[in-house]
Amino acid sequence: LVLTIVIAEAALQLVPKEIQSHTLIRQYAKRRQKNPDEVLLDRAFHHSAMQKLARKLGAGQVERMGRPDIVHGTLLQILETPLNWEQQLRVIIHTQDDQVITINPKIRLPKNYVRFVGLTEQLLVQKRVPENGEALMRVERKDLKQVLKELGSDHRLGFSILGKPRLMRNVAEEASEFENPSAFIGGFPRGHFTENTRRLLDAVYCVDRESLDAWVVAGRFVYDFEWAIGVAQGRIDASSKQNGQS
Ligand SMILES: C[S@@+](CC[C@H](N)C(=O)[O-])C[C@H]1O[C@@H](n2cnc3c(N)ncnc32)[C@H](O)[C@@H]1O
């Protein structure tokens, strides 16, 4: 039983070509001793260049871009968990520019955001990190539907404020009835899943009447899933035995 978390339509990409020559981007890249096409788009640093991008691509598309911190925060919540240590978690990041990043469960993700940005830039430029040896992260331009098929996903649920209202605990219980469930969480700051993503899902659930941050939804779901499949109980029982307590 392995749960796949898909951070879908994530706001994680290198600076797009439309604004690579923007003064702000050139200065930023120079400061970081990189080329403009080797740095992550980040609204915290590139706001005015992104305003220009919005005039080219449309405000609706651009307001969903440039938030790599969402992926970082979400990964921190779910990778260092008992579910992952028990090898029952797989994490995939699907980016807005349709790249699919797979993560080796053995990764020790940098807790520091600046280091995470550096690692992700290296990944997107080289297509894998580290460059040699066992890959800890790998990126491919691949159809998400195909990836899920290869993983043998037998149930795909999505989280969205537009979904059917349901307690998180009950969503986790439903997922635990499958062998290879996958759960989609939006890796974007605003808006909703596009129709392309929505089409992949068997069910969509809303777990609160307010919009929550992606890392809150991910952390709570993984925790409730651990309960639903008995991982939490199993680990407590094992540590009670070790300590000689009943
Ligand atoms: C910041 S939200 C995106 C904004 C969007 N308005 C929303 O709330 O769905 C990031 C992701 O967290 C999940 N999410 C946030 N609030 C949720 C809720 N109340 N119920 C279910 N999922 C939620 C969704 O997967 C969403 O794509």
Side-chain angles (χ1 to χ4, degrees):
L1 179 67
V2 176
L3 169 69
T4 301
I5 296 271
V6 181
I7 306 177
E9 300 176 35
L12 179 98
Q13 64 183 118
L14 295 172
V15 167
K17 59 180 180 327
E18 289 87 344
I19 51 169
Q20 282 168 9
S21 58
H22 191 284
T23 317
L24 183 75
I25 301 286
R26 281 197 282 116
Q27 283 169 350
Y28 172 83
K30 192 171 169 206
R31 228 175 22 246
R32 299 203 38 231
Q33 300 180 321
K34 297 201 174 202
N35 295 324
D37 61 353
E38 293 172 343
V39 296
L40 277 188
L41 182 70
D42 191 330
R43 183 171 292 282
F45 303 107
H46 307 146
H47 185 67
S48 66
M50 288 184 72
Q51 282 177 322
K52 185 175 167 202
L53 189 63
R55 287 194 287 278
K56 294 190 177 181
L57 303 183
Q61 183 178 338
V62 175
E63 70 178 14
R64 288 159 52 89
M65 296 167 71
R67 289 288 309 275
D69 60 297
I70 294 178
V71 171
H72 185 227
T74 305
L75 291 179
L76 286 179
Q77 282 290 327
I78 60 180
L79 285 175
E80 297 294 324
T81 54
L83 191 69
N84 196 29
W85 299 331
E86 297 289 338
Q87 291 156 24
Q88 290 186 279
L89 178 70
R90 208 166 17 213
V91 183
I92 285 178
I93 303 162
H94 160 252
T95 67
Q96 285 168 11
D97 59 349
D98 272 326
Q99 306 208 63
V100 175
I101 299 170
T102 40
I103 299 186
N104 184 331
K106 288 190 225 155
I107 195 170
R108 296 295 309 269
L109 195 80
K111 308 265 188 282
N112 178 284
Y113 180 62
V114 175
R115 289 196 47 222
F116 167 77
V117 167
L119 184 74
T120 310
E121 288 170 345
Q122 201 187 336
L123 168 73
L124 294 177
V125 171
Q126 289 172 183
K127 308 299 177 201
R128 74 183 324 262
V129 282
E131 205 165 4
N132 302 304
E134 186 180 0
L136 293 175
M137 289 204 276
R138 194 189 281 282
V139 63
E140 293 165 285
R141 199 163 280 285
K142 223 170 171 184
D143 181 34
L144 192 52
K145 191 172 172 188
Q146 184 59 28
V147 175
L148 293 169
K149 203 170 156 202
E150 285 166 15
L151 293 176
S153 174
D154 53 358
H155 187 62
R156 299 153 189 183
L157 63 92
F159 287 103
S160 165
I161 200 151
L162 300 181
K164 196 165 136 193
R166 201 122 196 249
L167 280 179
M168 181 64 98
R169 184 181 301 177
N170 296 341
V171 179
E173 267 162 17
E174 177 185 312
S176 72
E177 284 159 17
F178 294 84
E179 264 312 298
N180 263 310
S182 43
F184 285 54
I185 298 169
F188 43 84
R190 303 202 155 72
H192 305 288
F193 289 134
T194 59
E195 195 42 42
N196 273 351
T197 304
R198 180 67 193 81
R199 233 185 279 142
L200 300 174
L201 304 174
D202 299 312
V204 181
Y205 296 117
C206 167
V207 292
D208 196 275
R209 61 176 190 213
E210 307 272 339
S211 178
L212 304 165
D213 285 322
W215 52 84
V216 174
V217 176
R220 288 178 180 205
F221 180 61
V222 165
Y223 180 69
D224 278 346
F225 189 79
E226 285 173 357
W227 267 101
I229 64 170
V231 162
Q233 192 64 55
R235 289 175 67 91
I236 284 293
D237 292 347
S239 66
S240 300
K241 264 198 206 123
Q242 260 172 18
N243 301 340
Q245 295 159 355
S246 56

